[in-house]
Amino acid sequence: MRKILVLALLAVLAACSPPNRSDLPLGTVSRSFPELLNSARAVSGVRGVMEDDRLTRVAQKHADDMAKTGYFSHQSSDGRTLRDRVDAEGFPVCWVAENIAKGQISPKEVIDDWMMSSGHRRNIVWPNASHFGLGHAKDGNYWVLVMAERGC
């Protein structure tokens, strides 16, 4: 009887526990990200940015590359820089910056961490930024944010 009660209690607890954000598909994880990003920018008095598919591809490919090869760097495993990766996707860039993070389990956690770091915060609130892309690799929770100002 005691074993049945314990198993029932475990089933109830599992059903009530929130999902591990890292187990959700990218679309679900990133759905709240634009609002969080633009809220952080608004608090700093700068206009919002729009998501761009090309920058999202740049960010996602880099997050996947870091997760697959187990490194953590702004330079790709094949030696390409952020600018190289953005140019390859055809985004006409004037200014571009990249924030990377590892281990955070939610968009809010990663934004909060970046906003507490002066360099990452500077990229997020850059006044002339107009577009962004977000990448998230579930394996290791690698996050990549690419912020850009479209060609000058």
Side-chain angles (χ1 to χ4, degrees), residues 71-92:
Y71 75 99
F72 188 72
S73 174
H74 290 286
Q75 189 170 353
S76 296
S77 62
D78 63 4
R80 292 181 305 145
T81 66
L82 170 61
R83 185 65 185 249
D84 295 335
R85 290 180 271 131
V86 170
D87 288 347
E89 286 295 334
F91 186 87

Side-chain angles (χ1 to χ4, degrees), residues 48-60:
V49 290
M50 299 181 341
E51 188 167 9
D52 183 272
D53 290 343
R54 293 165 292 184
L55 296 178
T56 297
R57 282 192 299 273
V58 169
Q60 188 61 54

Side-chain angles (χ1 to χ4, degrees), residues 37-151:
L37 177 63
N38 283 322
S39 292
R41 289 177 59 81
V43 167
S44 298
V46 294
R47 66 179 162 71
V49 290
M50 299 181 341
E51 188 167 9
D52 183 272
D53 290 343
R54 293 165 292 184
L55 296 178
T56 297
R57 282 192 299 273
V58 169
Q60 188 61 54
K61 287 176 183 178
H62 191 55
D64 291 341
D65 182 35
M66 288 191 294
K68 180 181 176 185
T69 57
Y71 75 99
F72 188 72
S73 174
H74 290 286
Q75 189 170 353
S76 296
S77 62
D78 63 4
R80 292 181 305 145
T81 66
L82 170 61
R83 185 65 185 249
D84 295 335
R85 290 180 271 131
V86 170
D87 288 347
E89 286 295 334
F91 186 87
V93 67
C94 177
W95 169 87
V96 66
E98 179 178 64
N99 289 356
I100 59 176
K102 183 179 185 294
Q104 294 81 358
I105 62 169
S106 72
K108 181 176 179 356
E109 185 180 354
V110 77
I111 283 280
D112 288 348
D113 285 355
W114 281 332
M115 290 301 285
M116 291 175 49
S117 160
S118 62
H120 294 105
R121 183 181 194 289
R122 183 175 47 249
N123 291 342
I124 288 173
V125 301
W126 188 259
N128 295 333
S130 57
H131 294 82
F132 80 94
L134 174 70
H136 175 243
K138 292 187 302 184
D139 185 17
N141 274 325
Y142 286 86
W143 299 85
V144 177
L145 171 64
V146 177
M147 300 287 296
E149 177 181 359
R150 194 174 170 100

